Amino acid sequence: MEHYKLFINGEFVDAASGKTFEAIDPGTEAPIATVAQAGKADAEKAISAARKAFDKGDWSGLSPVARMAKIQDFADQIAQQGLRLAATESMNAGQVVSLAKFMPLICITLLRNLSLAAATKFPWQEEIPVSGNAFAPGREFIHREPVGVCVGISPWNYPMYIACWKIAPALIMGNTLVLKPASYTPLTSLIMAEASKAVGIPDGVFNVIPGPGGELGEILCTHPDVDKIAFTGSTEVGREIMRMAASTVKKVTLELGGKSANIILDDADMELAVEGAVFGNFFHQGQVCSSGSRVLVSSKIHDEFLDKMIKRVESIRIGYQMDPTSHVGPLVSKQQLSKVEGYVKLGQEEGAELVTGGKRVEVKGIQGGYYYAPTIFANVNNKMRIAQEEIFGPVVCVIKFDNDEEAVAIANDSIYGLAGGVFSTNTARAERIARGVRTGTMWINNYHIFSDYCPFGGYKQSGVGRELGLESLHEYTQIKRIHVPAIADHKSNMYFELLSDYKRVDGFSYNCPTNVVAGHGALSSICKAVVDLGCRRALIITDPGVRKAGLAQLVKDALADFCVGIYDNTPSDPDLETVDAATAVARELKVDCIVSVGGGSVIDTAKGVCVTLKNGGKANDYLNFLVLTEPQTPHIAIPTTAGTGSEATNVAVLTSKGAGRKLFIVDPRIMANVAILDPRFTITLPKDLTVSTAMDAMTHAIEAMTSTMANQICDGLALQAIRLINENLPLVVADGRNEKARLNMQLAATMAGWAFTIAQVGLAHGMAHTLGTLHHVPHGAACGIVIPKVMRYNVDHAANKLVQVAQALGVSTVGMEEHDAALAAADAVEALMQKAGHPMRLRDVGISEENLAICAFHAIADTAVLFNARPVSDPNEILQIYMQAY
């Protein structure tokens, strides 16, 4: 007899103990080879070799393309050994030779396909276009690396093929491997070791150590140098492996037991279904983890189906596995034969009806062998043990069901979830069934189809992870996230500043892409803007007041045939439902461009519509910071107020009823493509709205100046906005038809919008948002009332900036102390408000004193507060400011 040795560190060696065992031909019960029996010392030696080989990098350090070339050579060697491998597989594992002859081929294709996928399709490095962290901008990417030392434990039913399930992904992905084949069937794994040596796979990369699972399993699964375990076998052993691996928290892939349901619907092609049921369970004597060992048959066709299935099963030829005329061969061992016999006896005791089989078979001309007749039990209750426990042999349970829902329920009534099948002439119906069964693989009108690029693995107690496909390659890698900051400076790092008293962020990125068209008659540019954006169907979004004033009609007339509709149901405080309703109209009209005509509420609604229309779903899905990855639906904004600056900002403020507060979509991709500033659209703005929206713009500018994110570009925009408001607000209050002053106010609002888009705002906005959400105070009016008080609160943290604000407001600061000059800025804002007739106290806008405490708790949670010049952590301080404003 041939003697097979262990393969460790590139050499074939005997076991350290000198022990050997015999490999048996299950068809004759005769020994066919002796095999070195690995023990603990051999396992430790193999693990050490694998560790050193991995750390050395001769294999793990190769490029995927270079490894692919070596794996292809390995596949060629397997092809050269194909006849020997097929004959050995058949003789050692009991596979009929008509099956075993394909094993070398499918192993070759697996090695070639997965190595090609790893070299050409696998995402070794993957950019993360948006990180989901608005406070730490930079480049984010995933780098995938080999896991390290892997252990593969393969079963006895398909010793060559399933060994390749471990060998292929482990080696292809740059790992090293210690393979422990099943003690019954170690021979083909050792022949593949010869092939690996012949092609020069580096020493220690691939090691094979046959031996007893109990002794070797413990050292392989607990050794600290092992990084991953991949096991195919019983659920009982899988549980133990998982427990042992947990001691050192190893990665595991477990492909475990099954009790799969093969569902035969009443509309199935009868002949196809019978063949599918027979092949699904009796292929390789039922020694397949995915066997359809529960055949669920519609009561409408049950009796006919069972009769045909019995006749078909009784026609299967049982014979010696090397006989090419045999359909099925022996079971793998005496122990497996005894197990099958025990379950057949149990099934009869449980009351199931044995309709065929149920006995050993003698093969003519063969002495001995572990042959057993294909066996069918009918009238099986799914609660019986023979229907719940994996037998792993030629025994099938036929179970009747009345409807599709019952079939799915029976199929799911199992601790297992590995595979299953559905036979039906109605593919849609079969797919519904397949989706309902909780299992890793479902075949429709077919069974036992394994493919290199298709993942295989189980739900529930049928396993963890996946074999085959790109998914199997992922199982053999570690994921490393790498972050590179946009600005490598500690004073530009918001996280580092958590442990520092320096709260400003010095570095910045300025991105404000809105194209502004400004001046009397600027509306005339709208058709060219639509064309330049590649659009043909524009929806106007506005509100009832703007429409009543005739401004929406003015835009509709300018758009001519480009306008397909007007949506005017926008409230002063838009919520997510407003956006969803407008989006529904846009979808119905097949809109490709949004034109917003109104104030900040209208423009923010339009921004939400642009996002939802582009990406689907509802507005609530997109309440987040910096998550969009591509341009949104084109948007042209025509503001009818001079305050929010929304036409040029990257934020949409929307009320969430579920959250009970205003929430945000913040992203540069929601900024309007074009802003048309035509003073004719603000001429008719009432005095109170003119003043309150101006104070909204003033608050934007001041808070952009004083925020922790302030920068020189935004400072310049903010200061010019403050100057323009200070100079022009009195003029438009005195004469609302002063177009020049109106245009300057529009420009001021846009500049302030540009400023706070990058620099952010602060506490005044958080307080104003709260007043709007809880008490419906107009945002601009709330901002105006609280901003002077917040400026005084911030004075010791933003004095130099507030001095500049004072100067822009016309205050002469010559000879003044910095602190006094900074406070003068707040005084100047209040003076401007009084001159313009703006409300000065919260009581003036209907707020009652007893409501202020709850406002403070809401305000401190507002995102805007994060950027306030003075750190805010105590709601009592905010309450004091509210009280001052009251």
mmCIF file of all heavy atoms in Angstrom, residues 513-542:
data_model
loop_
_atom_site.group_PDB
_atom_site.id
_atom_site.type_symbol
_atom_site.label_atom_id
_atom_site.label_comp_id
_atom_site.label_asym_id
_atom_site.label_seq_id
_atom_site.Cartn_x
_atom_site.Cartn_y
_atom_site.Cartn_z
ATOM 1 N N PRO A 513 -20.782 77.022 -4.895
ATOM 2 C CA PRO A 513 -20.838 76.988 -6.367
ATOM 3 C C PRO A 513 -22.040 77.684 -6.998
ATOM 4 O O PRO A 513 -22.166 77.662 -8.226
ATOM 5 C CB PRO A 513 -20.901 75.483 -6.647
ATOM 6 C CG PRO A 513 -21.626 74.918 -5.463
ATOM 7 C CD PRO A 513 -21.203 75.753 -4.287
ATOM 8 N N THR A 514 -22.911 78.285 -6.213
ATOM 9 C CA THR A 514 -24.121 78.882 -6.799
ATOM 10 C C THR A 514 -23.775 80.033 -7.746
ATOM 11 O O THR A 514 -23.006 80.942 -7.399
ATOM 12 C CB THR A 514 -25.052 79.395 -5.690
ATOM 13 O OG1 THR A 514 -25.394 78.302 -4.829
ATOM 14 C CG2 THR A 514 -26.325 79.982 -6.280
ATOM 15 N N ASN A 515 -24.360 79.990 -8.922
ATOM 16 C CA ASN A 515 -24.192 81.071 -9.901
ATOM 17 C C ASN A 515 -25.225 82.153 -9.612
ATOM 18 O O ASN A 515 -26.424 81.893 -9.648
ATOM 19 C CB ASN A 515 -24.383 80.518 -11.317
ATOM 20 C CG ASN A 515 -24.288 81.602 -12.379
ATOM 21 O OD1 ASN A 515 -23.579 82.590 -12.206
ATOM 22 N ND2 ASN A 515 -25.024 81.434 -13.467
ATOM 23 N N VAL A 516 -24.770 83.346 -9.268
ATOM 24 C CA VAL A 516 -25.678 84.436 -8.908
ATOM 25 C C VAL A 516 -25.845 85.381 -10.104
ATOM 26 O O VAL A 516 -24.865 85.853 -10.682
ATOM 27 C CB VAL A 516 -25.137 85.209 -7.684
ATOM 28 C CG1 VAL A 516 -26.012 86.432 -7.410
ATOM 29 C CG2 VAL A 516 -25.095 84.298 -6.466
ATOM 30 N N VAL A 517 -27.114 85.639 -10.435
ATOM 31 C CA VAL A 517 -27.452 86.626 -11.465
ATOM 32 C C VAL A 517 -28.245 87.717 -10.755
ATOM 33 O O VAL A 517 -29.324 87.450 -10.208
ATOM 34 C CB VAL A 517 -28.290 85.999 -12.596
ATOM 35 C CG1 VAL A 517 -28.561 87.041 -13.675
ATOM 36 C CG2 VAL A 517 -27.594 84.782 -13.173
ATOM 37 N N ALA A 518 -27.736 88.954 -10.752
ATOM 38 C CA ALA A 518 -28.341 89.995 -9.920
ATOM 39 C C ALA A 518 -28.580 91.272 -10.714
ATOM 40 O O ALA A 518 -27.762 91.653 -11.550
ATOM 41 C CB ALA A 518 -27.445 90.289 -8.718
ATOM 42 N N GLY A 519 -29.699 91.910 -10.430
ATOM 43 C CA GLY A 519 -29.994 93.202 -11.041
ATOM 44 C C GLY A 519 -31.436 93.277 -11.502
ATOM 45 O O GLY A 519 -32.143 92.264 -11.582
ATOM 46 N N HIS A 520 -31.864 94.490 -11.785
ATOM 47 C CA HIS A 520 -33.213 94.689 -12.324
ATOM 48 C C HIS A 520 -33.334 93.912 -13.635
ATOM 49 O O HIS A 520 -32.503 94.022 -14.529
ATOM 50 C CB HIS A 520 -33.474 96.189 -12.570
ATOM 51 C CG HIS A 520 -34.830 96.455 -13.148
ATOM 52 N ND1 HIS A 520 -35.938 96.676 -12.360
ATOM 53 C CD2 HIS A 520 -35.256 96.511 -14.442
ATOM 54 C CE1 HIS A 520 -36.991 96.852 -13.146
ATOM 55 N NE2 HIS A 520 -36.591 96.760 -14.417
ATOM 56 N N GLY A 521 -34.397 93.124 -13.768
ATOM 57 C CA GLY A 521 -34.595 92.345 -14.986
ATOM 58 C C GLY A 521 -33.811 91.046 -15.014
ATOM 59 O O GLY A 521 -33.795 90.365 -16.047
ATOM 60 N N ALA A 522 -33.168 90.662 -13.914
ATOM 61 C CA ALA A 522 -32.371 89.428 -13.905
ATOM 62 C C ALA A 522 -33.218 88.195 -14.184
ATOM 63 O O ALA A 522 -32.701 87.158 -14.616
ATOM 64 C CB ALA A 522 -31.651 89.280 -12.559
ATOM 65 N N LEU A 523 -34.538 88.290 -13.979
ATOM 66 C CA LEU A 523 -35.415 87.148 -14.242
ATOM 67 C C LEU A 523 -35.306 86.672 -15.689
ATOM 68 O O LEU A 523 -35.533 85.494 -15.987
ATOM 69 C CB LEU A 523 -36.863 87.526 -13.921
ATOM 70 C CG LEU A 523 -37.913 86.450 -14.165
ATOM 71 C CD1 LEU A 523 -37.657 85.223 -13.288
ATOM 72 C CD2 LEU A 523 -39.326 86.996 -13.914
ATOM 73 N N SER A 524 -34.942 87.568 -16.570
ATOM 74 C CA SER A 524 -34.838 87.214 -17.988
ATOM 75 C C SER A 524 -33.833 86.094 -18.242
ATOM 76 O O SER A 524 -33.882 85.421 -19.269
ATOM 77 C CB SER A 524 -34.444 88.459 -18.796
ATOM 78 O OG SER A 524 -34.322 88.170 -20.158
ATOM 79 N N SER A 525 -32.945 85.878 -17.290
ATOM 80 C CA SER A 525 -31.911 84.855 -17.485
ATOM 81 C C SER A 525 -32.412 83.447 -17.228
ATOM 82 O O SER A 525 -31.679 82.470 -17.457
ATOM 83 C CB SER A 525 -30.733 85.131 -16.536
ATOM 84 O OG SER A 525 -31.127 84.959 -15.182
ATOM 85 N N ILE A 526 -33.653 83.299 -16.781
ATOM 86 C CA ILE A 526 -34.078 81.990 -16.276
ATOM 87 C C ILE A 526 -34.136 80.909 -17.349
ATOM 88 O O ILE A 526 -33.763 79.756 -17.119
ATOM 89 C CB ILE A 526 -35.428 82.099 -15.532
ATOM 90 C CG1 ILE A 526 -35.702 80.813 -14.747
ATOM 91 C CG2 ILE A 526 -36.575 82.443 -16.483
ATOM 92 C CD1 ILE A 526 -36.827 80.940 -13.751
ATOM 93 N N CYS A 527 -34.597 81.237 -18.553
ATOM 94 C CA CYS A 527 -34.672 80.216 -19.597
ATOM 95 C C CYS A 527 -33.288 79.726 -19.989
ATOM 96 O O CYS A 527 -33.071 78.522 -20.204
ATOM 97 C CB CYS A 527 -35.416 80.758 -20.824
ATOM 98 S SG CYS A 527 -37.193 80.893 -20.551
ATOM 99 N N LYS A 528 -32.339 80.644 -20.084
ATOM 100 C CA LYS A 528 -30.956 80.234 -20.392
ATOM 101 C C LYS A 528 -30.419 79.345 -19.273
ATOM 102 O O LYS A 528 -29.719 78.359 -19.529
ATOM 103 C CB LYS A 528 -30.087 81.467 -20.547
ATOM 104 C CG LYS A 528 -28.617 81.172 -20.896
ATOM 105 C CD LYS A 528 -28.494 80.510 -22.272
ATOM 106 C CE LYS A 528 -27.071 80.568 -22.823
ATOM 107 N NZ LYS A 528 -26.070 79.939 -21.974
ATOM 108 N N ALA A 529 -30.772 79.663 -18.031
ATOM 109 C CA ALA A 529 -30.318 78.837 -16.907
ATOM 110 C C ALA A 529 -30.881 77.425 -17.011
ATOM 111 O O ALA A 529 -30.171 76.435 -16.783
ATOM 112 C CB ALA A 529 -30.729 79.480 -15.591
ATOM 113 N N VAL A 530 -32.175 77.327 -17.361
ATOM 114 C CA VAL A 530 -32.796 76.001 -17.514
ATOM 115 C C VAL A 530 -32.102 75.212 -18.608
ATOM 116 O O VAL A 530 -31.773 74.025 -18.442
ATOM 117 C CB VAL A 530 -34.309 76.146 -17.803
ATOM 118 C CG1 VAL A 530 -34.919 74.790 -18.164
ATOM 119 C CG2 VAL A 530 -35.028 76.746 -16.615
ATOM 120 N N VAL A 531 -31.857 75.835 -19.728
ATOM 121 C CA VAL A 531 -31.191 75.157 -20.847
ATOM 122 C C VAL A 531 -29.775 74.732 -20.471
ATOM 123 O O VAL A 531 -29.343 73.617 -20.757
ATOM 124 C CB VAL A 531 -31.177 76.074 -22.090
ATOM 125 C CG1 VAL A 531 -30.314 75.479 -23.194
ATOM 126 C CG2 VAL A 531 -32.602 76.310 -22.592
ATOM 127 N N ASP A 532 -29.043 75.645 -19.824
ATOM 128 C CA ASP A 532 -27.665 75.314 -19.433
ATOM 129 C C ASP A 532 -27.616 74.124 -18.469
ATOM 130 O O ASP A 532 -26.636 73.378 -18.441
ATOM 131 C CB ASP A 532 -27.000 76.525 -18.781
ATOM 132 C CG ASP A 532 -26.662 77.619 -19.781
ATOM 133 O OD1 ASP A 532 -26.722 77.345 -20.997
ATOM 134 O OD2 ASP A 532 -26.342 78.741 -19.334
ATOM 135 N N LEU A 533 -28.673 73.961 -17.686
ATOM 136 C CA LEU A 533 -28.731 72.832 -16.750
ATOM 137 C C LEU A 533 -29.198 71.547 -17.422
ATOM 138 O O LEU A 533 -29.282 70.500 -16.774
ATOM 139 C CB LEU A 533 -29.660 73.172 -15.582
ATOM 140 C CG LEU A 533 -29.151 74.253 -14.621
ATOM 141 C CD1 LEU A 533 -30.260 74.697 -13.672
ATOM 142 C CD2 LEU A 533 -27.948 73.747 -13.831
ATOM 143 N N GLY A 534 -29.505 71.623 -18.706
ATOM 144 C CA GLY A 534 -29.920 70.436 -19.451
ATOM 145 C C GLY A 534 -31.338 70.002 -19.132
ATOM 146 O O GLY A 534 -31.665 68.822 -19.230
ATOM 147 N N CYS A 535 -32.203 70.954 -18.779
ATOM 148 C CA CYS A 535 -33.553 70.620 -18.325
ATOM 149 C C CYS A 535 -34.605 71.106 -19.325
ATOM 150 O O CYS A 535 -34.355 71.982 -20.149
ATOM 151 C CB CYS A 535 -33.816 71.237 -16.958
ATOM 152 S SG CYS A 535 -32.654 70.673 -15.689
ATOM 153 N N ARG A 536 -35.815 70.495 -19.194
ATOM 154 C CA ARG A 536 -36.926 70.893 -20.066
ATOM 155 C C ARG A 536 -38.234 71.061 -19.298
ATOM 156 O O ARG A 536 -39.158 71.716 -19.795
ATOM 157 C CB ARG A 536 -37.162 69.836 -21.163
ATOM 158 C CG ARG A 536 -35.976 69.561 -22.058
ATOM 159 C CD ARG A 536 -35.580 70.724 -22.902
ATOM 160 N NE ARG A 536 -36.628 71.203 -23.776
ATOM 161 C CZ ARG A 536 -36.505 72.270 -24.586
ATOM 162 N NH1 ARG A 536 -35.357 72.934 -24.622
ATOM 163 N NH2 ARG A 536 -37.514 72.660 -25.338
ATOM 164 N N ARG A 537 -38.340 70.472 -18.087
ATOM 165 C CA ARG A 537 -39.613 70.450 -17.381
ATOM 166 C C ARG A 537 -39.417 70.985 -15.953
ATOM 167 O O ARG A 537 -38.932 70.279 -15.070
ATOM 168 C CB ARG A 537 -40.208 69.042 -17.331
ATOM 169 C CG ARG A 537 -40.473 68.463 -18.722
ATOM 170 C CD ARG A 537 -41.027 67.048 -18.639
ATOM 171 N NE ARG A 537 -42.321 66.990 -17.959
ATOM 172 C CZ ARG A 537 -43.489 67.272 -18.524
ATOM 173 N NH1 ARG A 537 -43.533 67.654 -19.801
ATOM 174 N NH2 ARG A 537 -44.615 67.168 -17.848
ATOM 175 N N ALA A 538 -39.806 72.243 -15.754
ATOM 176 C CA ALA A 538 -39.565 72.906 -14.468
ATOM 177 C C ALA A 538 -40.863 73.016 -13.676
ATOM 178 O O ALA A 538 -41.923 73.350 -14.227
ATOM 179 C CB ALA A 538 -38.974 74.291 -14.685
ATOM 180 N N LEU A 539 -40.767 72.732 -12.375
ATOM 181 C CA LEU A 539 -41.874 72.929 -11.453
ATOM 182 C C LEU A 539 -41.545 74.113 -10.553
ATOM 183 O O LEU A 539 -40.480 74.153 -9.935
ATOM 184 C CB LEU A 539 -42.097 71.681 -10.590
ATOM 185 C CG LEU A 539 -43.108 71.829 -9.450
ATOM 186 C CD1 LEU A 539 -44.523 72.003 -10.000
ATOM 187 C CD2 LEU A 539 -43.045 70.635 -8.507
ATOM 188 N N ILE A 540 -42.480 75.077 -10.472
ATOM 189 C CA ILE A 540 -42.318 76.205 -9.560
ATOM 190 C C ILE A 540 -42.842 75.791 -8.185
ATOM 191 O O ILE A 540 -43.973 75.307 -8.065
ATOM 192 C CB ILE A 540 -43.073 77.441 -10.065
ATOM 193 C CG1 ILE A 540 -42.463 77.938 -11.394
ATOM 194 C CG2 ILE A 540 -43.066 78.553 -9.021
ATOM 195 C CD1 ILE A 540 -43.277 79.049 -12.047
ATOM 196 N N ILE A 541 -42.018 75.966 -7.167
ATOM 197 C CA ILE A 541 -42.456 75.769 -5.787
ATOM 198 C C ILE A 541 -42.507 77.133 -5.121
ATOM 199 O O ILE A 541 -41.531 77.899 -5.150
ATOM 200 C CB ILE A 541 -41.506 74.817 -5.028
ATOM 201 C CG1 ILE A 541 -41.605 73.403 -5.614
ATOM 202 C CG2 ILE A 541 -41.837 74.787 -3.536
ATOM 203 C CD1 ILE A 541 -40.707 72.386 -4.947
ATOM 204 N N THR A 542 -43.666 77.435 -4.528
ATOM 205 C CA THR A 542 -43.866 78.754 -3.934
ATOM 206 C C THR A 542 -44.817 78.620 -2.748
ATOM 207 O O THR A 542 -45.086 77.500 -2.282
ATOM 208 C CB THR A 542 -44.388 79.750 -4.997
ATOM 209 O OG1 THR A 542 -44.398 81.064 -4.458
ATOM 210 C CG2 THR A 542 -45.765 79.368 -5.496
#
